[in-house]
Each structure stands twice: as C-alpha cells, then as structure tokens.
Amino acid sequence: MKYKYSTVLLKLSGEALKSENEIYSKEKLEEIAKQIVELANNGLKLGIVIGGGNIWRGKLGADINMPQIDADFMGILATVMNGLALESTIKRLGYDKVNVYSSLQIETVTDDYNFKKARLKMKEGYISIFVGGTGFAYFTTDTNSVIRAIEIGADAVLMAKNGVKGVYDSDPNLNPNAKFYKKLTHRKIADKQLRVMDLTAATLAKDAKLPIEVFDMQGPNNIIKVMEGSLESTIIEE
Ligand SMILES: Nc1ncnc2c1ncn2[C@@H]1O[C@H](COP(=O)(O)OP(=O)(O)O)[C@@H](O)[C@H]1O
Ligand SMILES: O=c1ccn([C@@H]2O[C@H](COP(=O)(O)OP(=O)(O)O)[C@@H](O)[C@H]2O)c(=O)[nH]1
C-alpha cells in the first residue's frame, strides 16, 4: 500500500487507550496496535509518542497540594506505563521489532536512546516508542512529539485526536457552528490560540518547517486511512 509518508511520528494521547472506567481498554490497545503493525509491515517507518492522560496529568497535582514539578514527573512516569502497554500489545500481535526509548533512564524496561541509533533501527523496520516526554517538567508530550519527529527525520507529525476530525476556529464540542480548517499555517495556530497543541510545540514545528496532520483516530482503521490520504483531516504547514 502506498502511504503519503515514508517516516512519521504518530502522537497518541493517553485518552486513546482508556475505557469507560479503566486506564486501559484491551480492545482499544489492540485496535491501535493492529493498525501500527499493518503500517510497519507495509514499510512505513514509525515513531510513536504516547501521552499519559489516561493515568495522570500534572495539572491534577494542585488537587492534592502537590508542587507542579513533582506532579509533572508522575505524568512522565504515566507515559512510560502507556508505552510498555503498547509495546506489549504490538509484540503480542507478532511484531517483535519494537524499541521503547525513555527520556528517563529505566534500564530494566526501556532502551537507551540516541537519535542516530534510532534512525538506523527504524531503517531495519523497528518501531520506536518514545516515552517519558521531554524528561522535563512544565512540558507536554506534544512538544516531545515535535522534538522526536525532528530527530528521526519524520516527514510529519500525525496528531491523533479522540472524536475530533481536526482543527476548528473554536472548540467544536462547545460551538456547533465552529468552522473546520482543512489547511492551516503553524503561525495561525499560535496567533489564533487554537487549542490543538501547546504553543511550544507549534512554535518548534514552525521553526523546523515540520508539517503536522491532525486527525480523528476514532473510526475503523483511521490511522491507516490517514496514512493513505483517504481521511479528512487538518494539515498544518507553512
Ligand atoms: N480549535 C480547536 N479545534 C479542535 N479541537 C479543539 C479546539 N479547541 C478546543 N478543542 C478541544 O480540544 C479537544 C482535544 O483536546 P486534547 O487535549 O488535544 O485531546 P487529546 O487528549 O485527544 O490530545 C477536542 O476534543 C476539542 O473539544
Ligand atoms: O515532557 C513532558 C511530557 C509530559 N509531562 C507530564 O506528563 C503529563 C502527561 O502528558 P500529556 O498531558 O502530554 O499526555 P496526553 O494529554 O497526551 O495524554 C503531562 O500532563 C505533564 O504533567 C511532562 O511534565 N513533561
């Protein structure tokens, strides 16, 4: 199958993995992993950044009087758990060439990372799962997605949303008349404060001239469809 891209960085939020009451849905993990395996088997070079929002976000720290920096590191650890859950599901589906690279060195369960090694392994068909975010508090995995995309030489960041098909001029869940954008510049994201990623990530992507494609991953094979170019989405580029 011909895909639009040859190397991508796929950003998944933690929300994508959860069920109604559990931090993990077996069905959702399998649905995501199945598509990732098909894409990798068809030659797409895949880097994946996974968030931690199904388990913990730093902003929750305030609820328990926890300093932001401590709360953020809990969120960083949540991303490690999610990366291991995804790795295990991908391997259970029979695809063994997976590396989990963590910004926090956790030798027992993650691989040590340098971008040159990751690029070589990806040329051999290895999927790179990046966990631990940037490894710094006060950031989010959106920023880490842009950083890792630059490092692996990705053609684009594929930003998966849950139930929203792309970027609008306002929150479509609050404003039924929100206008959908098929195309946008990075600058417009910042200028119009469109909440689709944090401004640090948008600015970094603009400076690196890195395209971002925002799509809704909820839907049968939507991750495959967006790579084939057959899914309506928002493309952000200069
Ligand atoms: N301009 C916008 N375009 C699209 N979605 C927006 C916008 N502003 C706010 N939203 C809201 O942001 C939500 C996605 O939030 P986000 O934290 O990025 O989700 P995810 O956890 O999927 O990454 C959407 O469900 C939507 O309700
Ligand atoms: O570089 C990073 C990435 C993540 N986080 C923390 O980890 C949490 C989970 O990451 P994120 O919110 O990006 O996950 P997602 O919303 O994509 O599930 C964030 O709220 C932050 O508290 C962080 O401190 N630094």
Side-chain angles (χ1 to χ4, degrees):
M1 183 63 232
K2 192 77 196 88
Y3 300 125
K4 281 171 67 176
Y5 307 106
S6 69
T7 305
V8 297
L9 190 292
L10 173 64
K11 161 65 182 36
L12 299 171
S13 74
E15 307 295 312
L17 307 182
K18 67 192 264 198
S19 70
E20 194 69 33
N21 307 312
E22 304 295 334
I23 58 172
Y24 295 120
S25 151
K26 182 168 78 75
E27 293 68 27
K28 285 192 173 180
L29 271 169
E30 284 180 353
E31 172 61 19
I32 292 166
K34 186 169 60 64
Q35 295 179 73
I36 286 169
V37 168
E38 180 174 328
L39 291 165
N41 277 328
N42 287 335
L44 184 68
K45 289 194 281 297
L46 266 165
I48 301 167
V49 163
I50 195 141
N54 55 319
I55 300 172
W56 178 264
R57 284 202 176 102
K59 59 191 174 197
L60 296 172
D63 302 344
I64 54 172
N65 293 332
M66 181 182 274
Q68 170 88 32
I69 195 163
D70 299 347
D72 273 344
F73 275 99
M74 285 172 62
I76 283 173
L77 289 171
T79 70
V80 179
M81 283 180 63
N82 286 343
L84 297 179
L86 184 59
E87 176 199 28
S88 152
T89 309
I90 288 169
K91 287 184 171 175
R92 183 160 51 77
L93 296 182
Y95 198 95
D96 290 329
K97 298 197 289 187
V98 189
N99 287 125
V100 177
Y101 297 117
S102 171
S103 309
L104 294 188
Q105 199 52 44
I106 309 175
E107 279 163 22
T108 325
V109 290
T110 62
D111 300 282
D112 60 334
Y113 172 67
N114 75 59
F115 76 93
K116 290 178 183 161
K117 193 181 92 173
R119 284 190 187 207
L120 288 175
K121 300 288 269 185
M122 289 174 73
K123 280 203 176 84
E124 295 165 19
Y126 277 79
I127 295 166
S128 298
I129 299 177
F130 297 104
V131 299
T134 62
F136 298 105
Y138 291 92
F139 284 92
T140 73
T141 52
D142 285 348
T143 299
N144 192 41
S145 298
V146 176
I147 293 169
R148 299 305 178 208
I150 295 164
E151 288 179 336
I152 64 172
D155 306 311
V157 172
L158 275 287
M159 188 157 282
K161 293 294 168 189
N162 301 285
V164 166
K165 70 178 181 182
V167 184
Y168 293 74
D169 63 353
S170 64
D171 186 339
N173 287 329
L174 301 178
N175 171 11
N177 304 316
K179 181 167 127 333
F180 176 70
Y181 291 114
K182 286 182 78 66
K183 275 195 168 300
L184 264 180
T185 62
H186 298 94
R187 186 178 305 282
K188 197 156 186 182
I189 296 279
D191 294 351
K192 287 183 156 287
Q193 307 276 314
L194 298 174
R195 253 207 59 223
V196 66
M197 68 182 68
D198 55 67
L199 286 186
T200 314
T203 307
L204 203 50
K206 179 171 72 67
D207 294 348
K209 295 188 173 32
L210 181 69
I212 298 167
E213 183 161 4
V214 185
F215 71 100
D216 181 9
M217 63 174 287
Q218 285 180 0
N221 286 326
N222 274 14
I223 301 174
I224 292 172
K225 285 175 185 166
V226 77
M227 303 300 176
E228 292 170 341
S230 61
L231 187 76
E232 193 175 22
S233 65
T234 297
I235 295 186
I236 304 165
E237 56 189 351
E238 285 317 295

